[in-house]
Amino acid sequence: MIHYSEKLSWTEFHELANEGAIGVIAVGAHEEHGPHCSLLTDTIISNALAERIADRISGILLPKISYGESWSVNDFPGTITLEPETLTALVLDIARSVKKGGLRALIIVNGHYGNMSPITLAARRMRSEENYPVLILNFPELETIAKSICESSPAGGMFYHADEFETSIVLAEYPEGVKMEKAQPDYPEFPPAYGETQVLISSFNPVGVFGDPTKASAEKGERFLAAFTESCMKIVNDFQKTL
Amino acid sequence: MIHYSEKLSWTEFHELANEGAIGVIAVGAHEEHGPHCSLLTDTIISNALAERIADRISGILLPKISYGESWSVNDFPGTITLEPETLTALVLDIARSVKKGGLRALIIVNGHYGNMSPITLAARRMRSEENYPVLILNFPELETIAKSICESSPAGGMFYHADEFETSIVLAEYPEGVKMEKAQPDYPEFPPAYGETQVLISSFNPVGVFGDPTKASAEKGERFLAAFTESCMKIVNDFQKTL
Amino acid sequence: MIHYSEKLSWTEFHELANEGAIGVIAVGAHEEHGPHCSLLTDTIISNALAERIADRISGILLPKISYGESWSVNDFPGTITLEPETLTALVLDIARSVKKGGLRALIIVNGHYGNMSPITLAARRMRSEENYPVLILNFPELETIAKSICESSPAGGMFYHADEFETSIVLAEYPEGVKMEKAQPDYPEFPPAYGETQVLISSFNPVGVFGDPTKASAEKGERFLAAFTESCMKIVNDFQKTL
Amino acid sequence: MIHYSEKLSWTEFHELANEGAIGVIAVGAHEEHGPHCSLLTDTIISNALAERIADRISGILLPKISYGESWSVNDFPGTITLEPETLTALVLDIARSVKKGGLRALIIVNGHYGNMSPITLAARRMRSEENYPVLILNFPELETIAKSICESSPAGGMFYHADEFETSIVLAEYPEGVKMEKAQPDYPEFPPAYGETQVLISSFNPVGVFGDPTKASAEKGERFLAAFTESCMKIVNDFQKTL
Amino acid sequence: MIHYSEKLSWTEFHELANEGAIGVIAVGAHEEHGPHCSLLTDTIISNALAERIADRISGILLPKISYGESWSVNDFPGTITLEPETLTALVLDIARSVKKGGLRALIIVNGHYGNMSPITLAARRMRSEENYPVLILNFPELETIAKSICESSPAGGMFYHADEFETSIVLAEYPEGVKMEKAQPDYPEFPPAYGETQVLISSFNPVGVFGDPTKASAEKGERFLAAFTESCMKIVNDFQKTL
Amino acid sequence: MIHYSEKLSWTEFHELANEGAIGVIAVGAHEEHGPHCSLLTDTIISNALAERIADRISGILLPKISYGESWSVNDFPGTITLEPETLTALVLDIARSVKKGGLRALIIVNGHYGNMSPITLAARRMRSEENYPVLILNFPELETIAKSICESSPAGGMFYHADEFETSIVLAEYPEGVKMEKAQPDYPEFPPAYGETQVLISSFNPVGVFGDPTKASAEKGERFLAAFTESCMKIVNDFQKTL
């Protein structure tokens, strides 16, 4: 059962906190995902997963953070990027408040690579300064799951962006966020020293797609969500043992 | 027509920007609103209004900010409060990005008193540093509209919180966010020098209600939204003349 | 009796602190007030009021802060504006020090609208972090008092700047700060969506006057100060009950 | 002739700026100066000097900053200390504003040792970021002048604080700021490694006096001010040649 | 040929810059590496590699940064950890200066996992704000190289810390930094949800070793350095093509 | 005996800490020192001195900080300058860590004038926030020692930079850091109001030398180091009495 904080009054929140409820929150992004896929793709995906996790642990689902750290695509119209310091501060303020409000722990379902460092920094400060447990989930077992579901392979062997995986989940969760007729595969050639330099993606991938979204389907999206729910719940179960 | 950014790809966003689209975003709060009303009340209300304004101007509706500056009720379980610096940074990052993405202007529909200063500071910096127009709407004509619709009067003559006004809109927009059986009026006695000192509301209003929510109805909520849409559109029309 | 800190040594300050003395400080501005009125108008007015309040409560009058947050007139020569963060830090450092020095509370007499948010933020942090009481006075009952004394009405129905009210007090307190021969009324037409956008005042009011200073007199200034002293003391008396 | 900004309207300030006027501002401190001498001693002295310099160059005298960086005596009741970052920000905001307002340069008359670093940092940023000239005067030729006027010698050979020098100037400028009957000499033994460690002065000098204030007189104060005016003007004249 | 900046005067630096020289700098850590291995292990390794790279490209070798971000082992005596903001600022100041000094690019040889985010943020800001190229090398092909040289396997399948790899290089480069008689293998059991939570390593690995250092030898260290030099130079060559 | 932290494992560091060891660290600069002398001159000198002090007290010698605050020569190629805030943060992070690691105190050997304020601020915060003793050594008795050893006199009567004193120590400690054939004396004429304004040294001293390095010799360098070791140890001995 999901306890959406949007449905709760403070007294109801208080009761759930007293019963040991854990908070769950998705952090996504508002950034280009090719000509066919929603700007909110990462937000849609992470929130879908956050709902499933909250459901399993009867957690309180907090409103998603729809904006993330999107430096590498910041020059695409439609991308809205937060400075890493802003995202760290935002997560830290939220974490401090849910601790004060009595939640036993906070689980962050992250849907975007760029968010990892800023969120981790916030989580570390919650540990050091408040000794408060924060779990961060970054699509555990992504490679294995993608390999088992996708027909196409990821660009550059490891980049999943606006591709079969992401497009499938948006098709499953928010079909109005996909225009399949605009989907097209793109396996860009990565520039020299790509991983070690700070390159804007637009310079070699002006379309904003890594991989092949034409193979996407809502059915695959459901399978992805089911698989990630299991891979996440293994970690969540472990986490709960430490509380 | 509302252009939800959640439905847009970056190329679609780009086209709308080229046609002169304006961005619209709601900023709410995640804070106590009595035992009967949603923690997200201010977010629900501001986003409902933002939708109506985006619809009128065929604007791009950006994902709402569900967390705000809620210092004065920060000790109620369920309240999640941002430091003002965090909210300023968040709004500034978003505004810089939409400017970079080509939107002609940004309209912020604010649903919470505590957000006013941090948002205004961000808007001023957009003006000074980037010469970018940002409009902030704070429930224009609130007193007049409330007087014309409500049966009850506001607490302390001017405080509207979890009352007939707010509860009515949540009933209209998100009925699962209200439990009318828990609604109860509260006209607290304000402590001496209330407005001039920094007092936590819990110290004199432990229930978290200002006014009489028992008079609320969805029908009144619809009337409120219609009236605010008009009061806002007068300003939006003026604003558009300055662009 | 006013205890000017300028006349006190630290041992005398210490004795007064031990007897329960309260600190009083004015925060003004250094900004344009038309061609006839002192750049320090807000500082002169707030300090005049701070003196009267310190006198009534035998408080320690701290040196005034002569600079404030004056973004909206920052392009007039002579305006000196502080970033809001600077003003918050300044007030916070002072408040922490007087708490450490043993004063029972701090009363801030604010003479300028733009200072309200930065000062309030400092006061909140004193409450949250140090549980220290800070009272902020912003010309209580201004509208009523102005209506009872002034012959002219305020510009835009609510803006008092370099007008009959302010000019009168400067005439009373610091006559060398006014050149009545340069005084001229100005009732500018406010631009569309003035309150909701971030507009520099110079763009529609190049003279820097809101209202009619030609009706000003020192005698009215005295009446203003007397009236504000009473409206402030009601609040100060309430505040003292909470200490 | 001194142009007090307090007497100026913005149009008058503008005219003076157009004629090439320079701004002059004193930065003092609000800190213990023994049982006999004003908490504002450093402010009184630096402002007295700033007036004389403004007079010589027909400069615009800005309102003094009465608070400074007083870490080393922060535990004496009555000391109000600013964080160095606060003082840097304050001076920087003022300098940026006077540059924007058209003043040709800014002269800072500093009355307190602890202020030197924070003010210098602000001045450097004005040079690097805005290429704006700022002169900082720190009692030039202090040792020589003190030797020629004082009967007593400084504590530790070099520390002048609440002593014959400072007390004399306060006697000359603001006699109500001195109670000579409480004055007493103090030549504390400085703790080992005093200059190289961070020691609060109270730990070895609980009275807060360095030197012998009993030798002070208003007449000596006048001589001090006259001498410093000359030592400063040599530098100011040099400075003016670089503008 | 290595151009140690320590051997250069500014005129020599200037000439090299004019000839197109690139700067090379190592960033290490000062943190526990078991009972047998130097606190500076990561610094020693990264600087050894930086020397070899500088040699290949006739670069200017800047003084190493011996301190890094070591949160996860901050409670071991001897660990000195920088806040990530400090490290970002430090790298940014250095990068701005070498750009100003005329170096064509900066290559950062990073020897410690925790430094990656702070350094990357600095590099991104150099790209966005100054359009300056910064290359960051994080032991490219580490897994492959380690597999080909080491007899032992890494702890947890992927953690190399004070193990055969690191100890070997210190033996080769700075033998007085290793006491082999204290070396002992440690393959700790990682706590549940280790990667997703913020756990101090001391809680499950009080000795501070991941893997088996007893297999280390100076000869292996040389082979490691040779192999990394090649894996790095592939990237450096690619990088130089982009300049 | 010097305990280089580079040679220590954490367990060895821990034992020394338990025995009461003190940390010693040099802070230098990476800035122009004329056409003949190393960019790292201040670092070389301060570290040489730090070694001698660590040796006398059997302290733990931490890795030197090779970069400092070099604003006044920031436009010479080869100068790398830190913002003062960066240097303060760096020293503060290190000091907090050594306190946490159990060292009894920290001694900072500073080799560069510009570092004094930023380091002092860090030391004050260690005192105020952590009550931790930090000693800062700034070439005690410099004038006396220089007068007794040097044949040449300092530029401007008090500026020692790339001169006989500094060049001699580099000759003694790191002879490859000096090219005597490029050494040339320079006694620049200081611009008007030099000490009171913020002037880049390049504007009147394009060569970057203050004084006469041609008189330098390694033998004098040894005498300098011996003399400073004694002048420092007097203070260190005093400092140790306060612990």
Side-chain angles (χ1 to χ4, degrees):
Chain A
M1 178 186 186
I2 310 178
H3 298 290
Y4 293 92
S5 72
E6 195 169 12
K7 295 187 186 173
L8 301 176
S9 72
W10 77 265
T11 50
E12 293 161 345
F13 183 101
H14 192 31
E15 278 166 38
L16 290 168
N18 284 342
E19 293 163 9
I22 290 173
V24 182
I25 186 169
V27 187
H30 192 291
E31 67 167 39
E32 71 79 12
H33 276 78
H36 70 289
C37 208
S38 167
L39 287 164
L40 272 296
T41 294
D42 295 344
T43 306
I44 292 164
I45 295 174
S46 57
N47 201 51
L49 196 50
E51 282 183 314
R52 281 154 181 81
I53 293 166
D55 191 31
R56 292 286 188 91
I57 63 170
S58 295
I60 294 182
L61 186 68
L62 301 171
K64 62 196 170 217
I65 298 178
S66 300
Y67 304 93
E69 197 283 324
S70 296
W71 182 86
S72 59
V73 291
N74 74 69
D75 56 342
F76 283 89
T79 292
I80 295 176
T81 184
L82 304 185
E83 293 296 315
E85 291 89 345
T86 305
L87 185 52
T88 297
L90 181 59
V91 173
L92 201 47
D93 287 353
I94 292 171
R96 281 182 182 135
S97 292
V98 300
K99 180 188 180 231
K100 190 166 183 178
L103 298 193
R104 194 152 46 110
L106 180 63
I107 296 175
I108 298 175
V109 182
N110 177 29
H112 176 62
Y113 182 80
N115 298 339
M116 286 178 63
S117 295
I119 293 176
T120 298
L121 183 52
R124 288 191 165 182
R125 291 191 168 150
M126 285 306 292
R127 172 61 73 193
S128 289
E129 295 168 16
E130 313 233 7
N131 197 26
Y132 190 71
V134 177
L135 182 77
I136 307 172
L137 295 166
N138 293 299
F139 295 130
E141 304 176 30
L142 168 56
E143 267 186 73
T144 315
I145 293 171
K147 203 169 286 183
S148 78
I149 296 176
C150 288
E151 293 170 76
S152 64
S153 56
M158 54 184 286
F159 296 101
Y160 305 83
H161 180 79
D163 65 339
E164 185 178 355
F165 147 46
E166 293 198 336
T167 307
S168 291
I169 300 185
V170 180
L171 279 172
E173 279 287 314
Y174 190 70
E176 54 272 61
V178 185
K179 284 91 181 182
M180 279 304 284
E181 68 279 10
K182 296 188 185 172
Q184 50 181 96
D186 209 314
Y187 286 87
E189 189 173 348
F190 288 81
Y194 172 64
E196 290 79 11
T197 50
Q198 307 304 322
V199 176
L200 291 181
I201 283 173
S202 61
S203 66
F204 64 95
N205 183 235
V207 111
V209 170
F210 281 176
D212 185 356
T214 65
K215 302 286 187 295
S217 74
E219 182 265 345
K220 284 177 186 161
E222 296 292 356
R223 286 167 58 201
F224 261 111
L225 287 169
F228 279 128
T229 304
E230 297 314 317
S231 71
C232 286
M233 282 309 301
K234 276 187 254 172
I235 296 168
V236 170
N237 289 335
D238 277 348
F239 178 57
Q240 288 184 300
K241 284 175 209 152
T242 70
L243 301 179
Chain B
M1 178 186 185
I2 310 178
H3 297 290
Y4 292 93
S5 73
E6 195 169 12
K7 295 185 186 173
L8 300 175
S9 72
W10 78 263
T11 50
E12 293 161 346
F13 183 101
H14 191 32
E15 279 166 40
L16 290 168
N18 283 343
E19 292 164 11
I22 289 174
V24 182
I25 187 170
V27 187
H30 192 291
E31 67 164 42
E32 71 79 12
H33 277 79
H36 71 288
C37 209
S38 167
L39 288 164
L40 271 296
T41 293
D42 294 345
T43 305
I44 292 164
I45 295 174
S46 56
N47 201 52
L49 197 50
E51 283 183 313
R52 281 154 181 79
I53 292 166
D55 191 30
R56 291 286 188 92
I57 64 171
S58 294
I60 294 181
L61 186 69
L62 302 170
K64 62 198 169 212
I65 298 177
S66 300
Y67 304 94
E69 198 284 322
S70 296
W71 183 87
S72 60
V73 292
N74 74 69
D75 56 340
F76 282 90
T79 292
I80 293 176
T81 184
L82 305 185
E83 293 297 314
E85 290 88 347
T86 305
L87 185 53
T88 297
L90 181 59
V91 173
L92 201 47
D93 286 353
I94 292 170
R96 282 182 181 136
S97 292
V98 299
K99 180 190 181 231
K100 189 164 184 178
L103 298 193
R104 194 153 48 111
L106 180 63
I107 297 175
I108 299 174
V109 182
N110 177 29
H112 176 61
Y113 182 80
N115 298 339
M116 287 178 66
S117 296
I119 292 175
T120 298
L121 182 53
R124 286 190 166 185
R125 290 190 170 153
M126 285 307 293
R127 173 62 72 195
S128 291
E129 296 167 15
E130 313 234 7
N131 197 25
Y132 191 71
V134 177
L135 182 78
I136 308 172
L137 295 166
N138 293 299
F139 296 129
E141 304 176 33
L142 168 56
E143 266 187 72
T144 315
I145 292 171
K147 204 169 284 181
S148 78
I149 295 175
C150 289
E151 294 171 76
S152 65
S153 56
M158 55 183 286
F159 297 101
Y160 305 82
H161 180 80
D163 65 339
E164 185 177 356
F165 147 45
E166 293 199 335
T167 306
S168 290
I169 300 186
V170 180
L171 280 171
E173 279 287 312
Y174 190 71
E176 54 272 62
V178 185
K179 284 90 180 183
M180 279 304 283
E181 68 279 9
K182 295 189 185 170
Q184 50 181 92
D186 207 315
Y187 286 86
E189 188 173 348
F190 287 80
Y194 172 64
E196 290 80 11
T197 49
Q198 307 305 320
V199 176
L200 292 180
I201 285 173
S202 61
S203 67
F204 64 94
N205 181 237
V207 110
V209 171
F210 282 176
D212 185 356
T214 65
K215 302 284 188 296
S217 73
E219 181 266 344
K220 284 177 186 161
E222 295 292 357
R223 286 167 60 201
F224 261 111
L225 286 169
F228 279 128
T229 303
E230 297 313 318
S231 70
C232 285
M233 282 309 300
K234 275 187 255 173
I235 295 168
V236 170
N237 289 335
D238 278 349
F239 178 59
Q240 287 183 300
K241 283 175 211 153
T242 69
L243 300 180
Chain C
M1 177 189 188
I2 310 178
H3 297 290
Y4 294 92
S5 72
E6 196 169 11
K7 295 186 186 173
L8 300 175
S9 71
W10 78 264
T11 50
E12 293 161 345
F13 183 101
H14 191 33
E15 278 166 40
L16 289 169
N18 283 342
E19 292 164 12
I22 290 173
V24 182
I25 186 170
V27 187
H30 191 290
E31 67 167 39
E32 71 81 10
H33 276 79
H36 70 288
C37 209
S38 167
L39 288 163
L40 272 297
T41 294
D42 295 345
T43 305
I44 292 165
I45 295 174
S46 56
N47 201 52
L49 197 49
E51 283 183 312
R52 282 155 180 80
I53 292 165
D55 191 31
R56 291 285 188 94
I57 64 171
S58 295
I60 294 180
L61 186 69
L62 301 170
K64 62 198 168 211
I65 298 177
S66 299
Y67 304 94
E69 198 284 324
S70 296
W71 182 87
S72 59
V73 292
N74 74 70
D75 56 342
F76 282 90
T79 292
I80 294 176
T81 183
L82 305 185
E83 292 296 314
E85 290 88 345
T86 305
L87 185 52
T88 297
L90 181 59
V91 173
L92 201 47
D93 285 352
I94 293 171
R96 283 183 180 134
S97 292
V98 299
K99 180 189 179 230
K100 189 164 184 179
L103 298 193
R104 194 152 48 110
L106 180 64
I107 296 175
I108 298 174
V109 182
N110 177 29
H112 177 60
Y113 182 80
N115 298 341
M116 287 178 64
S117 295
I119 293 176
T120 299
L121 182 53
R124 285 190 167 185
R125 290 192 169 150
M126 286 306 292
R127 173 61 74 194
S128 289
E129 296 168 14
E130 313 235 7
N131 197 27
Y132 191 70
V134 177
L135 182 77
I136 307 171
L137 295 166
N138 293 298
F139 295 129
E141 304 177 31
L142 167 56
E143 266 187 73
T144 316
I145 292 171
K147 203 169 286 183
S148 78
I149 296 176
C150 289
E151 292 171 78
S152 64
S153 56
M158 55 185 285
F159 296 101
Y160 305 84
H161 180 80
D163 65 339
E164 185 177 356
F165 147 46
E166 293 198 336
T167 307
S168 290
I169 300 186
V170 180
L171 280 171
E173 279 286 314
Y174 190 71
E176 54 272 62
V178 185
K179 284 90 180 182
M180 280 304 284
E181 69 280 10
K182 296 189 185 171
Q184 51 181 94
D186 208 312
Y187 286 86
E189 188 174 348
F190 288 81
Y194 172 65
E196 290 81 11
T197 50
Q198 306 305 320
V199 176
L200 291 181
I201 284 173
S202 61
S203 66
F204 65 94
N205 182 236
V207 110
V209 170
F210 282 176
D212 186 356
T214 65
K215 302 285 188 297
S217 73
E219 180 267 344
K220 283 176 187 164
E222 296 291 357
R223 285 167 59 201
F224 261 110
L225 286 169
F228 279 129
T229 304
E230 297 312 317
S231 71
C232 286
M233 282 309 300
K234 278 187 252 172
I235 295 168
V236 170
N237 289 334
D238 278 349
F239 177 60
Q240 288 184 300
K241 285 175 209 152
T242 70
L243 300 179
Chain D
M1 179 189 186
I2 309 177
H3 298 288
Y4 292 93
S5 72
E6 194 168 13
K7 294 186 186 172
L8 300 175
S9 72
W10 78 264
T11 50
E12 293 161 345
F13 182 101
H14 191 32
E15 278 165 40
L16 290 169
N18 284 343
E19 293 164 11
I22 290 174
V24 182
I25 186 170
V27 186
H30 192 291
E31 68 166 40
E32 70 80 10
H33 276 80
H36 71 288
C37 207
S38 167
L39 288 163
L40 272 297
T41 293
D42 295 344
T43 305
I44 291 164
I45 296 174
S46 55
N47 202 51
L49 196 49
E51 282 183 314
R52 281 154 181 80
I53 293 167
D55 192 31
R56 291 286 188 92
I57 63 170
S58 295
I60 295 182
L61 186 69
L62 301 171
K64 63 197 168 214
I65 299 178
S66 302
Y67 305 93
E69 199 282 326
S70 296
W71 183 86
S72 60
V73 291
N74 75 69
D75 57 340
F76 282 89
T79 292
I80 294 177
T81 183
L82 305 185
E83 294 295 316
E85 290 89 345
T86 304
L87 185 53
T88 297
L90 181 59
V91 173
L92 201 47
D93 286 353
I94 291 171
R96 283 183 180 134
S97 292
V98 299
K99 179 188 180 231
K100 190 166 184 177
L103 298 193
R104 193 154 47 110
L106 180 63
I107 296 174
I108 299 176
V109 182
N110 178 29
H112 177 60
Y113 182 81
N115 298 341
M116 287 178 64
S117 295
I119 292 176
T120 298
L121 183 52
R124 286 190 166 185
R125 291 192 169 150
M126 286 307 292
R127 173 60 74 191
S128 290
E129 296 168 14
E130 314 234 6
N131 196 26
Y132 190 71
V134 176
L135 182 77
I136 307 172
L137 296 166
N138 293 298
F139 296 129
E141 305 176 31
L142 168 55
E143 265 186 75
T144 315
I145 293 172
K147 204 169 285 183
S148 78
I149 296 178
C150 288
E151 294 171 76
S152 64
S153 56
M158 54 184 286
F159 297 101
Y160 305 82
H161 180 79
D163 64 339
E164 185 178 354
F165 148 45
E166 293 199 335
T167 306
S168 291
I169 301 185
V170 180
L171 279 172
E173 278 287 312
Y174 191 71
E176 54 272 61
V178 185
K179 285 90 180 182
M180 280 303 284
E181 69 279 11
K182 296 188 186 171
Q184 51 181 93
D186 208 314
Y187 286 86
E189 188 173 349
F190 288 81
Y194 172 64
E196 290 79 13
T197 51
Q198 306 304 321
V199 176
L200 292 180
I201 284 174
S202 60
S203 67
F204 64 94
N205 183 236
V207 110
V209 170
F210 281 175
D212 185 357
T214 65
K215 302 285 187 295
S217 73
E219 181 267 344
K220 284 177 186 162
E222 296 292 358
R223 286 167 58 201
F224 262 111
L225 287 169
F228 279 128
T229 304
E230 298 313 318
S231 70
C232 286
M233 282 308 301
K234 276 186 254 173
I235 296 168
V236 170
N237 289 335
D238 278 347
F239 177 59
Q240 287 184 300
K241 285 175 210 154
T242 69
L243 300 180
Chain E
M1 179 189 185
I2 309 177
H3 298 290
Y4 293 93
S5 72
E6 196 169 11
K7 295 186 187 172
L8 301 175
S9 73
W10 78 264
T11 50
E12 293 161 344
F13 183 102
H14 192 31
E15 278 165 41
L16 290 169
N18 284 343
E19 293 163 11
I22 290 174
V24 182
I25 186 170
V27 187
H30 192 291
E31 68 167 39
E32 70 81 10
H33 275 78
H36 71 289
C37 208
S38 167
L39 288 163
L40 271 297
T41 293
D42 295 345
T43 305
I44 292 164
I45 296 174
S46 55
N47 201 52
L49 196 49
E51 283 183 315
R52 282 154 180 81
I53 292 166
D55 191 31
R56 291 285 189 93
I57 63 170
S58 293
I60 295 181
L61 187 69
L62 302 170
K64 63 198 168 213
I65 298 178
S66 301
Y67 305 93
E69 197 283 324
S70 296
W71 183 86
S72 59
V73 292
N74 74 68
D75 56 341
F76 282 89
T79 293
I80 294 177
T81 183
L82 305 184
E83 293 296 314
E85 290 90 345
T86 305
L87 185 53
T88 297
L90 181 59
V91 173
L92 201 47
D93 287 353
I94 292 171
R96 282 183 182 134
S97 292
V98 298
K99 180 188 181 232
K100 189 164 184 180
L103 298 193
R104 194 154 46 110
L106 181 63
I107 296 176
I108 299 175
V109 182
N110 177 28
H112 177 61
Y113 182 81
N115 298 340
M116 287 178 63
S117 295
I119 292 176
T120 299
L121 183 53
R124 287 190 166 183
R125 291 191 169 150
M126 285 307 293
R127 172 62 73 194
S128 290
E129 295 167 16
E130 313 234 8
N131 196 27
Y132 191 71
V134 177
L135 181 78
I136 307 172
L137 296 166
N138 294 298
F139 296 129
E141 305 177 31
L142 168 55
E143 265 186 73
T144 314
I145 293 172
K147 204 169 285 180
S148 78
I149 295 176
C150 288
E151 293 171 77
S152 65
S153 56
M158 54 184 287
F159 296 101
Y160 304 83
H161 180 79
D163 65 340
E164 185 179 354
F165 147 45
E166 294 198 334
T167 306
S168 291
I169 300 185
V170 180
L171 279 171
E173 280 287 313
Y174 191 70
E176 55 270 63
V178 185
K179 285 90 180 182
M180 280 304 284
E181 69 279 9
K182 295 189 184 170
Q184 50 181 93
D186 208 314
Y187 286 86
E189 189 173 347
F190 288 81
Y194 172 64
E196 291 79 12
T197 49
Q198 307 306 321
V199 176
L200 292 180
I201 284 174
S202 61
S203 67
F204 65 94
N205 181 236
V207 110
V209 171
F210 282 177
D212 185 356
T214 65
K215 303 284 188 295
S217 73
E219 181 266 345
K220 283 177 186 163
E222 296 293 356
R223 286 167 59 199
F224 261 112
L225 286 169
F228 279 129
T229 302
E230 297 313 316
S231 70
C232 285
M233 281 310 301
K234 277 187 254 173
I235 295 168
V236 170
N237 289 334
D238 278 349
F239 178 58
Q240 288 184 298
K241 285 176 209 151
T242 69
L243 299 180
Chain F
M1 178 188 186
I2 309 177
H3 298 290
Y4 293 92
S5 72
E6 196 168 12
K7 295 186 186 172
L8 300 175
S9 71
W10 78 264
T11 50
E12 293 160 345
F13 183 102
H14 192 31
E15 277 166 40
L16 290 169
N18 284 343
E19 293 164 11
I22 290 174
V24 182
I25 186 170
V27 187
H30 191 292
E31 67 167 39
E32 70 81 11
H33 276 78
H36 70 290
C37 208
S38 167
L39 289 163
L40 271 297
T41 293
D42 295 345
T43 305
I44 292 165
I45 297 174
S46 56
N47 202 52
L49 197 48
E51 283 183 314
R52 281 154 180 79
I53 293 166
D55 191 31
R56 292 284 188 93
I57 64 170
S58 294
I60 294 181
L61 185 69
L62 301 170
K64 62 198 168 212
I65 297 177
S66 300
Y67 304 94
E69 199 283 323
S70 295
W71 182 86
S72 59
V73 291
N74 74 71
D75 56 343
F76 282 90
T79 292
I80 294 177
T81 182
L82 305 185
E83 293 296 316
E85 291 89 344
T86 305
L87 185 52
T88 298
L90 181 59
V91 173
L92 201 47
D93 287 354
I94 292 171
R96 282 181 181 135
S97 292
V98 299
K99 179 187 181 232
K100 190 165 183 179
L103 298 193
R104 196 154 45 111
L106 180 63
I107 296 175
I108 298 175
V109 182
N110 177 29
H112 177 60
Y113 183 80
N115 298 339
M116 287 178 63
S117 295
I119 293 176
T120 299
L121 183 52
R124 286 191 166 183
R125 289 189 172 153
M126 285 308 292
R127 172 63 72 195
S128 289
E129 295 167 16
E130 312 235 7
N131 196 28
Y132 190 70
V134 177
L135 181 77
I136 306 173
L137 295 167
N138 294 298
F139 296 128
E141 305 176 30
L142 168 55
E143 265 186 74
T144 315
I145 292 172
K147 203 168 288 183
S148 77
I149 296 176
C150 289
E151 293 171 77
S152 64
S153 56
M158 54 184 288
F159 297 101
Y160 305 83
H161 180 78
D163 64 340
E164 185 178 355
F165 147 46
E166 294 198 334
T167 305
S168 291
I169 300 186
V170 181
L171 279 172
E173 280 286 313
Y174 190 72
E176 54 270 61
V178 185
K179 284 91 182 180
M180 280 304 285
E181 69 279 10
K182 297 189 186 171
Q184 51 182 96
D186 208 315
Y187 286 86
E189 189 174 346
F190 288 81
Y194 172 65
E196 290 78 13
T197 50
Q198 306 306 319
V199 176
L200 291 181
I201 284 173
S202 61
S203 66
F204 65 96
N205 182 235
V207 111
V209 170
F210 282 176
D212 186 357
T214 65
K215 302 285 189 297
S217 73
E219 181 265 346
K220 283 177 186 161
E222 296 292 357
R223 286 167 59 200
F224 262 111
L225 287 169
F228 279 130
T229 303
E230 297 313 316
S231 71
C232 285
M233 282 309 301
K234 277 187 252 172
I235 296 168
V236 170
N237 289 334
D238 277 349
F239 177 58
Q240 287 185 300
K241 285 176 208 150
T242 70
L243 301 180

